Amino acid sequence: MNAITKPRRRAVLGATLGAFTFGFHIPKASAQTAAAAAPTSPEVNAWVVVKPDDTVVIRIARSEMGQGTLTGLAQLVAEELECDWAKVTTEYPTPGQNLARGRVWGNMSTGGSRGIRESHEYVRKGGAAARMMLVQAAANAWRVPAGECTAAASVITHMPTRRTVTYGQVAEAAGRLSAPALAEVPLKASTDWKIAGQPVPRLDTRAKLNGSQVYGMDLKLPGMVNAAIRACPVFGGKVRAVDSTAAERMPGVKRVLRVGDYAVAVVADTWWRAKTALDAVTITWDEGEHATASSASFAEVMRAGLDAPQAAVGNQAGDARAAIAAAPRKVEAIYGVPHQNHACMEVMNATAVWTPERCEVWTPTQNGEAAHAAAAEAAGLPPARCEVHKIHLGGGFGRRGAVHDWVRQVVDLAKQMPGTPVKLLWTREEDMGQGRYHPVTMCKLTAGLDAQGNLSGLHMRISGQSIVAGIFPQNIRDGRDPVVFQGLNNAGGEADIGYGIPNLLIDHAMRNPHVPPGFWRGVNLNQNAIYLECFMDELAHAAGKDPLEFRRALMANYPKHLAVLNAVAARAGWGTPAPDVGGQRVFRGLCQTHGFGSYVAACAEVSVSDAGALKIHRIVAATDPGYAVNPQQITAQVEGSFVYGLSAALYGSCTVKDGRIEQTNFDSYPVMRMDAMPKVEAILMPSGGFWGGVGEPTIAVAAPAVLNAIFAATGKRIRQLPLQDADLRRT
Amino acid sequence: MAKLNVNGRTIEVEVEGDTPLLWVLREQLNLTGTKYGCGIAQCGACTVHVDGAATRSCSMPVSAFDENQKIVTIEGLSPDSSHPIQQAWLALDVPQCGFCQPGMIMAAAALVAATPRPTEAQIREEITNICRCGTYNRVIAGIQRATTGPGAAG
């Protein structure tokens, strides 16, 4: 009756991992799509399939990349569906099906911590509508009014006669009913939730314990060949010449192919042979106009932007320049945050089959619809003749969302080998050098303090890279990138500054290097929170005030910002000395921010040895996401966000020399390991009335809390990240 | 040609001798639970057991092995995910994206086999695998649960 229930690719199912045979690995989502094909497994509506055995298949439009959205969204649907949670499974509808059905599943993009906060209403209505149809089907069979029936745990009961029927028994009839108008579908109050709001275990854990979870890298199709690729290391450069004589003679090698005008790939029977042969290909590059660019040369450009007369205004109140000029005391500081790579554990990969009639792609993607559009464009086929099969991601963090460069590559390769499935897998080195990097920026902060040490004026001049200009240039208006001011707005939005500053100017001098930017978990909130919250700490000390009290004085009109800040201060014991650890004195730093709709704050406890060795002992972090759908998964996100945020603060830096990224692997691009991991105490304080995201906001408070604690410990302000480049010995 | 003992079975594979064990497992033996993460023994996603010791298979040529060395992959750790580490991981919902977890679980299983009651400091020192989602604190809690909690390994 619809695209999703069409039997497809059944022939390639049924392989078992662990068998010593050449088998076919098809990801679970596809397997379930095919399994749902039986006509006895009717769709009640787009979100809900109920099988005769009462198994409930909940369709998930967003992508699971570890953040737990698959479980959280299923909880929301199940809550309204009133089904038996123990019998819930999930599947991904495909982007092609979404297109064919008028985007019945809405937006598939999974970024900006918006999986739940932007789809909670329509997925709950989908569950509620399905429940109403199931109840109606039972009522029709019994010839009773639906109002006399109730539903709980997948059982419908006719209250007057106590007759019961299960969802599986009436699902087919329910699927034939017309859907209720969504405007008339009521939703439960969160206080009545039984499944949502509970710390239920994730639905996808078991397969991740024994190697059976199939990632894109693990995919195998019949007759598939493997490709390794090398793109010009200088962004914007091209292939000038290729000598593949030696490579073509190597075992297993099938083809040496160009990809666009900027990359070369070797296709072989196995990936290891393809990669080995690629190492034997001599490529001469035309490195283009950026061949001499460096981090140092770009820093000069950004530094000039700090004082440039032209800048786009993000937030303004009163007259900041005049107030600062008139202030008896002026404070100024310049901060900087470098490029960073997402470094997903699973490197970029995709598998594609192209024929003149059709193109299919299997890939881990945060945005199935964007992957589908990229595939169609690269395939030279109408979108209706293309399909993308989403696979669980081995990490996303923004790399697998907006730009699908690897999808275009694999389709380009598949197009050169019609009918043959081609799997493209990047090396880690390719992944490090061909990233879409966290933007590089600097910020000059200038403030005036009045005679009582109150903040009378603040000017934040951000200079540097715009992600939007790099990816969605059509969204730049009059040179202004609205996203660059994340966390610094004052519009009652999802990322507001949280301080009442009488004279305020926040502006951005856009300066774009040739290194392509990307949305990187936390996006612009990360550096903006560093700039503002470290400078707040500087101002408090300049005013001779306690950093907590200095902030509180500015937060009277921002009760939710203040509540999370107060919560971490209270839990951490702000105002009392931290106990020594291992003979080292321990110092605290505070910060707060608002982003992706949630209010967050952190207090870090650190020690710094005489030799300058930093140890982060404990993080207390508070989150007010409005509603909490799965508290234990939110805690996991908060803990993980400190690994991501502190990895960036401690080590994260992609530097440019001769136009290319210098870091090549985890030896030159270190990330946090277990030995450096602090204890994280997550305070979850949902206050209701709004829906905030949880995958990203606390990343932004990781670095400023630690930097402020380092100042408390050493008297040193570290204003340029990463910390590994800083000398932390006390002066 | 290489002769290997993998998950209790002796098998022969036709492959260049300098092929890393990781790629023999993944491409010749179809054991894709063991992951490629870095290729230079930095991240640990490729961790398997060789005679019980955690070994980063991406940097070991298959020619370094013979059928007398017992190689165990995540698929062979237990027949039904019943290893105490796997059970603790299930109880605490340790994995996020899960990509690094086969290596993490194999590293943890080797640690508790060698050190049945590791201290937190030992865990932090011995487990050097990279997880970008940031499961470290639950990994520590999982190892502690597996070794001291209900259903502890011993």
Side-chain angles (χ1 to χ4, degrees):
Chain A
M1 68 194 228
N2 60 62
I4 202 158
T5 56
K6 260 190 239 157
R8 51 190 322 288
R9 295 213 165 264
R10 188 170 278 281
V12 293
L13 298 178
T16 45
L17 283 163
F20 290 115
T21 56
F22 278 94
F24 314 130
H25 295 175
I26 299 294
K28 231 175 179 175
S30 297
Q32 287 171 346
T33 303
T40 49
S41 302
E43 172 183 296
V44 179
N45 65 14
W47 300 98
V48 175
V49 173
V50 183
K51 298 186 182 179
D53 67 356
D54 291 326
T55 300
V56 172
V57 182
I58 294 176
R59 304 251 175 79
I60 306 294
R62 311 280 178 163
S63 299
E64 178 58 49
M65 51 187 160
Q67 82 281 38
T69 207
L70 179 118
T71 304
L73 288 168
Q75 284 176 266
L76 289 172
V77 174
E79 180 65 54
E80 296 289 343
L81 181 60
E82 298 287 2
C83 65
D84 181 354
W85 178 251
K87 291 184 178 166
V88 167
T89 63
T90 61
E91 70 180 16
Y92 291 138
T94 67
Q97 290 158 355
N98 204 27
L99 184 70
R101 295 179 63 177
R103 290 191 95 208
V104 66
W105 291 285
N107 189 353
M108 290 187 155
S109 168
T110 315
S113 298
R114 56 171 79 86
I116 282 173
R117 71 189 172 103
E118 288 190 0
S119 52
H120 61 87
E121 185 167 332
Y122 59 77
V123 303
R124 284 186 294 155
K125 287 203 168 184
R131 182 200 70 238
M132 290 164 73
M133 293 162 76
L134 290 159
V135 169
Q136 187 64 56
N140 291 352
W142 288 326
R143 298 177 192 284
V144 301
E148 291 181 357
C149 303
T150 62
S154 298
V155 176
I156 301 160
T157 302
H158 179 233
M159 295 307 283
T161 60
R162 310 305 297 180
R163 279 177 292 181
T164 61
V165 66
T166 68
Y167 279 7
Q169 293 170 284
V170 295
E172 198 173 349
R176 289 194 298 267
L177 298 175
S178 54
L182 285 183
E184 290 159 26
V185 173
L187 294 177
K188 289 182 185 176
S190 63
T191 45
D192 294 329
W193 285 351
K194 299 186 296 280
I195 299 169
Q198 299 302 310
V200 301
R202 295 174 66 114
L203 294 170
D204 55 347
T205 293
R206 284 180 188 274
K208 293 174 177 175
L209 303 178
N210 59 11
S212 63
Q213 177 71 56
V214 175
Y215 297 86
M217 181 186 292
D218 307 328
L219 193 86
K220 226 167 218 186
L221 294 177
M224 187 181 83
V225 293
N226 291 273
I229 194 165
R230 185 163 298 146
C232 182
V234 179
F235 305 102
K238 294 173 180 167
V239 177
R240 179 174 286 156
V242 177
D243 179 355
S244 56
T245 321
E248 282 168 18
R249 285 199 297 262
M250 291 173 73
V253 171
K254 297 184 183 299
R255 304 280 296 276
V256 179
L257 298 171
R258 298 219 187 172
V259 180
D261 61 0
Y262 71 100
V264 176
V266 173
V267 180
D269 53 355
T270 69
W271 184 80
W272 181 255
R273 283 174 159 177
K275 189 256 176 204
T276 305
L278 181 60
D279 289 340
V281 177
T282 305
I283 309 169
T284 311
W285 304 105
D286 169 6
E287 296 183 347
E289 58 178 315
H290 304 296
T292 59
S294 71
S295 292
S297 64
F298 190 67
E300 273 182 50
V301 173
M302 284 193 295
R303 210 167 281 121
L306 293 174
D307 297 309
Q310 290 287 322
V313 174
N315 193 351
Q316 193 167 19
D319 187 338
R321 290 182 206 272
I324 295 163
R329 183 107 189 264
K330 194 174 137 182
V331 183
E332 185 178 297
I334 295 172
Y335 283 79
V337 171
H339 281 126
Q340 289 146 4
N341 189 297
H342 300 81
C344 304
M345 287 309 299
E346 182 191 21
V347 292
M348 299 304 111
N349 68 84
T351 302
V353 189
W354 185 93
T355 66
E357 292 77 36
R358 188 165 170 80
C359 177
E360 288 194 67
V361 174
W362 290 256
T363 194
T365 170
Q366 290 175 243
N367 188 344
E369 292 177 299
H372 187 238
E377 200 178 297
L381 289 168
R385 288 173 172 270
C386 300
E387 186 56 290
V388 168
H389 306 276
K390 298 199 301 179
I391 308 176
H392 272 13
L393 290 74
F397 313 123
R399 178 64 181 92
R400 292 184 154 108
V403 182
H404 286 84
D405 43 332
W406 73 95
V407 169
R408 292 171 192 276
Q409 290 176 346
V410 76
V411 172
D412 190 322
L413 287 168
K415 212 173 164 180
Q416 296 181 66
M417 302 181 74
T420 301
V422 180
K423 178 161 81 178
L424 171 67
L425 174 67
W426 285 15
T427 59
R428 173 59 63 188
E429 288 75 14
E430 191 73 3
D431 203 270
M432 279 288 169
Q434 296 294 326
R436 294 293 181 272
Y437 301 85
H438 187 287
V440 61
T441 58
M442 296 176 78
C443 184
K444 182 174 182 177
L445 301 106
T446 317
L449 295 171
D450 69 15
Q452 288 75 46
N454 299 312
L455 179 58
S456 57
L458 172 66
H459 179 200
M460 279 183 79
R461 163 61 64 86
I462 301 163
S463 174
Q465 193 164 18
S466 158
I467 305 170
V468 174
I471 297 180
F472 303 117
Q474 67 276 18
N475 293 347
I476 300 289
R477 296 266 186 279
D478 301 323
R480 185 176 181 273
D481 168 3
V483 181
V484 88
F485 302 107
Q486 215 173 14
L488 304 173
N489 299 310
N490 214 354
E494 62 167 52
D496 285 353
I497 190 167
Y499 297 113
I501 301 168
N503 299 290
L504 177 69
L505 176 60
I506 302 176
D507 53 11
H508 175 221
M510 192 187 297
R511 297 292 184 271
N512 292 317
H514 79 296
V515 174
F519 294 97
W520 191 100
R521 192 178 178 189
V523 193
N524 292 307
L525 192 67
N526 294 345
Q527 72 271 18
N528 289 345
I530 291 169
Y531 300 153
L532 181 64
E533 286 299 292
C534 290
F535 194 61
M536 278 288 166
D537 205 71
E538 295 205 40
L539 291 173
H541 285 278
K545 296 185 179 182
D546 173 81
L548 175 60
E549 294 306 326
F550 185 82
R551 286 180 173 81
R552 279 176 174 164
L554 298 167
M555 298 176 78
N557 295 327
Y558 299 89
K560 289 187 190 296
H561 291 76
L562 182 59
V564 288
L565 183 65
N566 282 337
V568 295
R571 171 74 69 86
W574 186 266
T576 63
D580 291 1
V581 175
Q584 294 281 347
R585 280 193 66 192
V586 173
F587 298 86
R588 297 196 180 101
L590 273 179
C591 66
Q592 63 85 20
T593 196
H594 178 221
F596 309 96
S598 289
Y599 301 86
V600 295
C603 182
E605 293 184 351
V606 314
S607 61
V608 179
S609 74
D610 291 341
L614 169 70
K615 180 76 188 164
I616 307 165
H617 300 282
R618 175 193 186 209
I619 300 281
V620 178
T623 303
D624 177 0
Y627 295 100
V629 174
N630 189 325
Q632 68 103 350
Q633 279 306 301
I634 295 175
T635 302
Q637 285 304 293
V638 170
E639 289 174 358
S641 74
F642 282 93
V643 176
Y644 214 69
L646 292 177
S647 286
L650 293 170
Y651 323 105
S653 178
C654 293
T655 53
V656 179
K657 192 183 172 197
D658 299 331
R660 67 201 75 203
I661 299 292
E662 291 188 281
Q663 290 69 26
T664 56
N665 206 317
F666 288 119
D667 51 352
S668 48
Y669 188 78
V671 297
M672 182 184 267
R673 298 174 195 254
M674 212 175 289
D675 60 343
M677 179 69 190
K679 292 193 185 308
V680 177
E681 295 173 32
I683 303 169
L684 185 54
M685 41 194 291
S687 60
F690 64 97
W691 292 76
V694 296
E696 292 167 281
T698 44
I699 292 176
V701 288
V706 166
L707 291 168
N708 291 340
I710 288 171
F711 174 79
T714 64
K716 279 191 167 177
R717 289 287 174 196
I718 307 304
R719 300 191 181 94
Q720 178 64 49
L721 293 177
L723 272 161
Q724 67 174 0
D725 297 340
D727 177 1
L728 297 184
R729 286 174 295 182
R730 283 182 202 85
T731 43
Chain B
M1 174 80 82
K3 208 173 211 183
L4 301 172
N5 182 309
V6 180
N7 296 338
R9 288 175 58 180
T10 302
I11 37 127
E12 287 183 9
V13 288
E14 202 65 55
V15 68
E16 289 81 39
D18 59 357
T19 306
L21 175 62
L22 169 66
W23 293 102
V24 174
L25 295 172
R26 288 183 57 82
E27 301 202 291
Q28 268 76 30
L29 304 183
N30 225 18
L31 294 166
T32 54
T34 307
K35 302 304 184 200
Y36 165 71
C38 68
I40 57 168
Q42 277 282 322
C43 78
C46 65
T47 304
V48 299
H49 294 173
V50 178
D51 293 333
T55 302
R56 294 189 173 176
S57 62
C58 73
S59 299
M60 300 284 283
V62 70
S63 59
F65 297 89
D66 61 38
E67 71 266 36
N68 297 315
Q69 288 155 298
K70 291 183 166 47
I71 298 166
V72 176
T73 71
I74 185 70
E75 292 89 347
L77 181 63
S78 67
D80 49 5
S81 295
S82 60
H83 188 283
I85 291 290
Q86 289 167 310
Q87 287 298 299
W89 255 234
L90 182 64
L92 299 182
D93 249 357
V94 171
Q96 290 189 30
C97 88
F99 187 85
C100 73
Q101 295 297 328
M104 196 71 86
I105 289 169
M106 295 306 280
L111 170 66
V112 302
T115 312
R117 291 260 195 281
T119 63
E120 185 183 326
Q122 283 173 316
I123 295 168
R124 286 174 178 275
E125 182 132 328
E126 295 292 329
I127 308 287
T128 58
N129 296 41
I130 292 174
C131 169
R132 292 288 283 156
C133 295
T135 61
Y136 295 139
N137 284 351
R138 289 196 187 190
V139 167
I140 294 169
I143 294 172
Q144 290 173 328
R145 182 187 174 98
T147 52
T148 60

